[in-house]
Amino acid sequence: SWKTIQWKLIETSLSFELVSSPPAPIGKNFVAKMTDEARKARAAALEDKKKRLEELKARRARRETAPPSKPKANLDEYIDGLLNTSAPASNIEEAEEAPISQPPAPETEQSALEELTAPDKDDGPAVPQVDSAPPAPIPPSPEVEVFEFGTQTLEEDFPPEEEDDDDPVDTTKPDENDGDESKGGDENTGNTEDKFVEIEAKVLSTEEKQEEIEKTPFSSFLNTTSKKMERILGEPVLADLLVNFVGETDGIDDGSKSKQGLQDGSNYLSARQVFEHEKWTAGRTVTDMDWSPFHRELMLSSYDMPYSSISSGGGLLSAITPDVPPSSSLAPRSGELQSDGLTLVWNLAMPQRPEHIFTCGSPVLSARFHPTESPLVVGGCQSGQLVIWDIRAGRLPVQRSGQGYPLCAMQVTDKPTGLATASTDGKVSFWSLANLRDPAETIQLQGNLSCLAVSDANTVFCGDESGIVIHIPAKRKHVKKLANPKHFGMVTGVSVKKKFVLSTGVDWTVKLTKNEKVKWSVVSNSYDYMCDVQWSPVHSSLLATASSTGVVGLWNLANSTEEPTGEIVVESDVGLNKIRWSVDGKRLLAAAGERVHVLSLADDVIRQKEDDEDRMLKQLT
């Protein structure tokens, strides 16, 4: 650096003067004077360096916005220029008093810092060093993500090895069959017996088994896992009921299948399945059914009280105990199998066990899925109460309304913001979904009501036990008894589509009216009671009827008004109570005694043509 070069020049000057002239005596005052002047020179040099450091810091602050500097000059040229300068002073005093020439400022900040902070390499007087700028920050190392991957195993799969300090270390190659229980030889038999210890299984007594089964963790685990397995095993059944397989013969030749299909109507079906449970539904009668508006594989059925039981105090006590089992549990508590009211939620994949079980202290005559809340189920009881079950709260109702006369029918209204119920004392109640404790409006009719239907325009049609159909408009101001249809006996079913009103009665007839005029009427050939009738929700001219002989009649009025399209024998010895179409119009629920039949109709039956409605109107005129 330039300081080193300066000190070299001074030393060269001193040696030249000593060689050319005789040594002069140096006194103490002279030495002290030289020392003071050297200290002052060094202090001035330090102050100069501090000023230059401040300038460098200011230049660094300006460099952030200033354009990049030019490449620095050649250092070799700078040193050559210093060496070519004039000779130093002839004596040491002039050399000390002469100001030290400063080199030009380096063009870059980094080179200036190197010159200021570089140490002297000669043996001359040391110049105090000034602290240099902080070192440049080290760039951060790239982040390395580390994760662990493991597999859950049982402890007995990896038994701990026993340590034995007394045995010498075996350095020989282990035998390939070592540790194999089936080939355990004379060698190392003691170690093998120590590693694999057989533990005898404890045989539980009957009381201990029952105690373990009744524990909440075990029962919850068993119920959840068994349901999952049954859903997996029931996937073929679910596929058959939800998908129409056209052209399958099931291993039967066409002639045999055609002959059998003509007898029981199976040629009009693509699949069928029966839903019942030997404990919960035995001895009961299905009173109502419904399809879930949220999940097409779920359906609902309500039941009357068992034939051979009357509600006892034991069942009532069990109903008010705080220990309420979950609705998804299949195991009954004491007295629950004999409860008066029962409502089951079925899954099409599990025909032999219900998805959820709900009980009540009164027989359930009508039931519906809540139209807006999927966990809720609404039921109408014989006690006149409107009850609500929640699958998250157990089997018992979470809410009840006031008591009254039996609620024989229930339908969703106002698309869908409310419910309409009919009671046997002639009262029609309209309920708001926001408050199901008390009805929002009530209309008292003359006669004992037996059935109820709601049209798309929110008009209500009620059938009574005297054979009359009553019309309640959407504004509910003018209630009118219709002159037609009129049956000679109790009206068992009512269904409405647009302005066409279907009704059935115990007088063996099915009637179709429009504007109080009978457009079509048919009498059962075998003079059987007609128990229910329903329009197809998607087909404009297709309807289904249910008779007391266990036969479902399919009528396509666009093709014929005299003969049904087909008849399906559900059960030959048990009458049908109710029928209910699915939302997509491809499946039909039929209640026969304690069993619920799911009928998946063939594609030829449910397929609709563009002119079916026009042809039906032509047939009816």
Side-chain angles (χ1 to χ4, degrees), residues 84-100:
N84 294 330
T85 55
S86 58
S90 58
N91 53 55
I92 190 170
E93 293 181 0
E94 294 178 357
E96 293 291 342
E97 294 176 357
I100 300 175

Side-chain angles (χ1 to χ4, degrees), residues 433-599:
L433 296 180
N435 181 19
L436 294 177
R437 292 184 180 274
D438 299 305
E441 185 179 357
T442 301
I443 299 176
Q444 182 66 49
L445 305 178
Q446 295 180 0
N448 300 327
L449 301 181
S450 58
C451 55
L452 177 72
V454 179
S455 67
D456 295 336
N458 289 327
T459 58
V460 179
F461 292 85
C462 304
D464 65 2
E465 295 180 356
S466 62
I468 298 175
V469 176
I470 304 172
H471 174 237
I472 303 176
K475 296 183 179 180
R476 300 162 191 166
K477 293 182 178 180
H478 303 287
V479 178
K480 182 180 180 181
K481 290 184 178 181
L482 301 181
N484 284 304
K486 187 174 183 181
H487 294 268
F488 297 94
M490 182 179 68
V491 180
T492 56
V494 180
S495 182
V496 184
K497 177 184 284 188
K498 297 182 179 180
K499 295 183 179 181
F500 294 97
V501 180
L502 279 171
S503 61
T504 57
V506 296
D507 58 351
W508 322 308
T509 62
V510 180
K511 293 184 178 182
L512 174 63
T513 60
K514 181 181 180 182
N515 298 328
E516 301 186 51
K517 294 181 180 180
V518 178
K519 296 293 183 179
W520 173 68
S521 179
V522 63
V523 180
S524 174
N525 295 331
S526 57
Y527 296 96
D528 302 320
Y529 295 150
M530 304 304 295
C531 302
D532 200 3
V533 63
Q534 293 291 327
W535 279 110
S536 171
V538 295
H539 201 294
S540 59
S541 60
L542 183 64
L543 60 97
T545 60
S547 68
S548 60
T549 57
V551 177
V552 171
L554 300 174
W555 294 80
N556 191 342
L557 300 182
N559 298 331
S560 174
T561 58
E562 297 180 358
E563 294 293 335
T565 302
E567 291 184 343
I568 303 171
V569 179
V570 179
E571 292 195 17
S572 58
D573 55 347
V574 179
L576 302 180
N577 304 332
K578 295 282 185 180
I579 55 176
R580 183 73 59 185
W581 288 93
S582 62
V583 179
D584 56 4
K586 296 181 179 181
R587 288 164 298 280
L588 192 66
L589 291 178
E594 64 190 31
R595 291 177 288 275
V596 177
H597 296 257
V598 179
L599 309 176

Side-chain angles (χ1 to χ4, degrees), residues 605-621:
V605 177
I606 61 178
R607 186 186 300 116
Q608 183 179 2
K609 298 180 181 180
E610 296 180 357
D611 59 342
D612 278 349
E613 185 173 0
D614 296 336
R615 291 192 296 119
M616 181 187 71
L617 295 176
K618 186 176 180 180
Q619 290 279 355
L620 295 177
T621 55

